[in-house]
Amino acid sequence: TALSTDDVKTIRSDYPESLFWIAEQYGDRTTGYDLAEAIKVWLKNNNAEDKSVCEVLKERGWKGIGETEVFLSHVQAESPKETLWAMQNIKGRYGPARKGTKHKNSKIWVDYFCLRQLQNDFQTNQVEQLIRKTGAVYVHMDGEETGSSYPTRSFCLFESAAAIENGATLMINTPRSGPLAPNQCGCWPCCACCCGLPDYSIDAANATARRADDKAKVDKY
């Protein structure tokens, strides 16, 4: 169920001043940045500041945790609902996921739950090794609502480049709106088999990250 404007404002009323940029940039809609903050609170409440959500659940015997089979690459500006929709596409092998998944219910690497959110846990060499071992990357391109920003984000470009460099299957789920959307051919999700993909021009040098040191880390690697 989508949160109301009042719900979002209430959630963000507890944010420190350093996070006011979320509301300034994205208004009253929920984003992955909000989900990440909620996860940080959950980890603190569970005395697991040095762990990821998956590590905590695995310790508790949750059977949904296992070796990654598909790496999800996406922008955190999208809503959690949009991320969940991408995960459901992978799970059901819908659209582009038919090509790079071997079976339904593939286990998915999702940054929110696999990274240790209370630490600076995104290490480029480790992520590339993970993509190489997994061999399948599902790119969830964002649409007009979030500025069609996937090709302009340093981490996103790194993940796609790592897939190509290491021979992983690259599955691109195109958005329904904005300049990254293909010409509508009547089949959705579009698999680009009959209408082709837009021209995804990439300018990696001018790609951005929320923190300057993160961009520098990706550029250097």
Side-chain angles (χ1 to χ4, degrees):
T1 303
L3 296 175
S4 68
T5 297
D6 289 340
D7 289 334
V8 175
K9 288 181 177 179
T10 300
I11 291 170
R12 289 178 177 163
S13 65
D14 292 330
Y15 285 5
E17 187 175 349
S18 60
L19 294 178
F20 286 178
W21 64 269
I22 299 177
E24 293 173 355
Q25 191 165 344
Y26 299 109
D28 294 326
R29 68 173 187 81
T30 51
T31 68
Y33 299 115
D34 296 293
L35 174 57
E37 289 308 308
I39 288 172
K40 291 174 184 178
V41 172
W42 185 85
L43 291 170
K44 289 178 181 178
N45 290 341
N46 283 273
N47 298 314
E49 298 183 30
D50 60 337
K51 295 182 175 68
S52 68
V53 170
C54 284
E55 286 175 306
V56 176
L57 295 179
K58 184 177 181 180
E59 288 176 354
R60 295 180 179 182
W62 197 61
K63 298 187 184 302
I65 305 297
E67 187 170 341
T68 295
E69 297 171 291
V70 179
F71 183 103
L72 174 59
S73 179
H74 68 110
V75 297
Q76 291 195 338
E78 71 187 16
S79 69
K81 184 178 180 180
E82 190 75 13
T83 307
L84 180 60
W85 184 68
M87 294 171 65
Q88 290 171 335
N89 282 343
I90 297 170
K91 176 183 177 181
R93 302 188 76 226
Y94 302 130
R98 292 194 305 272
K99 184 171 183 179
T101 54
K102 298 177 181 177
H103 53 79
K104 289 187 176 182
N105 301 315
S106 294
K107 289 184 170 58
I108 310 166
W109 191 94
V110 186
D111 48 4
Y112 302 124
F113 313 115
C114 296
L115 292 177
R116 294 168 178 168
Q117 291 293 335
L118 288 165
Q119 300 180 20
N120 188 7
D121 200 32
F122 191 102
Q123 303 299 324
T124 49
N125 60 333
Q126 293 180 359
V127 172
E128 184 183 24
Q129 290 172 15
L130 174 64
I131 288 174
R132 183 188 307 125
K133 184 176 181 180
T134 302
V137 174
Y138 185 95
V139 171
H140 190 64
M141 291 270 185
D142 63 315
E144 196 168 21
E145 184 179 39
T146 48
S148 303
S149 59
Y150 186 95
T152 70
R153 305 299 292 170
S154 293
F155 283 140
C156 293
L157 295 185
F158 164 73
E159 292 161 0
S160 292
I164 295 169
E165 182 71 16
N166 290 282
T169 300
L170 189 63
M171 301 165 277
I172 299 178
N173 186 77
T174 54
R176 288 158 284 188
S177 62
L180 303 181
N183 296 324
Q184 293 301 308
C185 58
C187 57
W188 184 257
C190 178
C191 60
C193 56
C194 54
C195 57
L197 292 172
D199 177 16
Y200 292 144
S201 297
I202 302 298
D203 183 0
N206 289 314
T208 60
R210 202 153 47 87
R211 293 183 290 265
D213 56 339
D214 285 340
K215 173 176 169 54
K217 180 166 60 176
V218 171
D219 287 350
K220 180 180 178 180
Y221 193 76

